[in-house]
Amino acid sequence: GESVGLHLPTLSVQEGDNSIINCAYSNSASDYFIWYKQESGKGPQFIIDIRSNMDKRQGQRVTVLLNKTVKHLSLQIAATQPGDSAVYFCAEFLEETSGSRLTFGEGTQLTVNP
Amino acid sequence: DAGITQSPRHKVTETGTPVTLRCHQTENHRYMYWYRQDPGHGLRLIHYSYGVKDTDKGEVSDGYSVSRSKTEDFLLTLESATSSQTSVYFCAIGQQGWEQYFGPGTRLTVT
């Protein structure tokens, strides 16, 4: 079936470096793609979204890139800080007449080393 | 957590007992959702609501029911809890379907 997944389950970076978290998706009909951050013991936190007709969107220290040709989504975090350590989920949103759906990937654990 | 509370935050119950989890929001958002999160499965949608008394099933709705009698409250009920329903349950709210804000979660253990 349709799925959203992640290339790597874990990513370890040095503080101050840039981080890139990748995601592959399979449903080309999805309307939005979203990144969530989940810290230990907390609920997922919305980071940034991108509409399917866009290639790039920037937020505060984060950039999301969407490559529809290869069905690839990435989250770039600039100057990674210890507070960025968390699990990052990509999700895809599809709106259909039968109802809308947000489908989450498995998540990537980002560890920031001091 | 964007004006969302969940209660209880932790619960241990026995197999076969009914359980109700409550989600309360102060944001007046239209949409409310219940997810469960399990290792190896990520977040999976159980049920969602698109308005008062308007609900629909998600990916893993078997064994669960929901009710939304007012905008701010969304209840998730396990009519007869089973060990397979041991999980962390998250409520989420949103004005648009793709931008969802999650509560702190409820850890449910069914023994």
Side-chain angles (χ1 to χ4, degrees), chain A residues 6-28:
Chain A
L6 293 159
H7 291 304
L8 296 172
T10 61
L11 177 65
S12 185
V13 300
Q14 293 298 121
E15 182 177 357
D17 287 352
N18 296 332
S19 302
I20 300 176
I21 302 171
N22 296 305
C23 177
Y25 66 92
S26 57
N27 191 345
S28 57

Side-chain angles (χ1 to χ4, degrees), chain A residues 32-34 36 38 41-46 49-50 89 93 95 98-106, chain B residues 1 9 31 33 35 37-43 45 48 56 90 97-105:
Chain A
Y32 286 87
F33 300 88
I34 308 98
Y36 284 87
Q38 187 175 23
K42 296 184 178 181
Q45 176 186 0
F46 177 93
D49 62 6
I50 185 168
F89 294 93
F93 177 78
E95 192 144 30
S98 58
S100 59
R101 234 178 356 151
L102 188 63
T103 304
F104 287 83
E106 290 295 315
Chain B
D1 290 324
R9 294 293 315 279
Y31 294 93
Y33 309 82
Y35 291 88
Q37 186 173 37
D38 306 287
H41 291 281
L43 283 152
L45 181 65
Y48 69 99
D56 206 349
F90 287 101
W98 66 91
E99 189 172 335
Q100 298 182 16
Y101 298 93
F102 285 78

Side-chain angles (χ1 to χ4, degrees), chain B residues 26-97:
Chain B
T26 58
E27 305 295 323
N28 200 35
H29 282 307
R30 175 186 177 189
Y31 294 93
M32 297 187 76
Y33 309 82
W34 277 108
Y35 291 88
R36 59 178 290 174
Q37 186 173 37
D38 306 287
H41 291 281
L43 283 152
R44 293 181 291 174
L45 181 65
I46 304 171
H47 282 280
Y48 69 99
S49 169
Y50 46 95
V52 174
K53 297 185 180 179
D54 291 323
T55 65
D56 206 349
K57 295 179 180 180
E59 178 186 357
V60 289
S61 60
D62 287 348
Y64 302 94
S65 63
V66 291
S67 66
R68 190 169 180 199
S69 59
K70 42 187 179 176
T71 300
E72 56 267 34
D73 289 324
F74 193 32
L75 304 180
L76 176 70
T77 297
L78 291 65
E79 300 291 345
S80 178
T82 67
S83 58
S84 66
Q85 293 176 311
T86 292
S87 187
V88 180
Y89 291 85
F90 287 101
C91 174
I93 65 174
Q95 285 287 47
Q96 297 116 348

Side-chain angles (χ1 to χ4, degrees), chain A residues 26-88:
Chain A
S26 57
N27 191 345
S28 57
S30 292
D31 300 297
Y32 286 87
F33 300 88
I34 308 98
W35 282 100
Y36 284 87
K37 171 187 179 184
Q38 187 175 23
E39 297 174 276
S40 181
K42 296 184 178 181
Q45 176 186 0
F46 177 93
I47 302 174
I48 190 168
D49 62 6
I50 185 168
R51 194 168 180 167
S52 58
N53 62 354
M54 298 172 64
D55 298 321
K56 180 179 180 179
R57 190 170 185 209
Q58 289 185 296
Q60 191 174 24
R61 279 201 310 120
V62 296
T63 301
V64 57
L65 299 177
L66 177 62
N67 186 331
K68 293 179 284 292
T69 302
V70 295
K71 297 181 181 177
H72 184 266
L73 184 71
S74 68
L75 177 70
Q76 300 178 2
I77 304 174
T80 313
Q81 303 167 359
D84 294 326
S85 292
V87 176
Y88 289 82

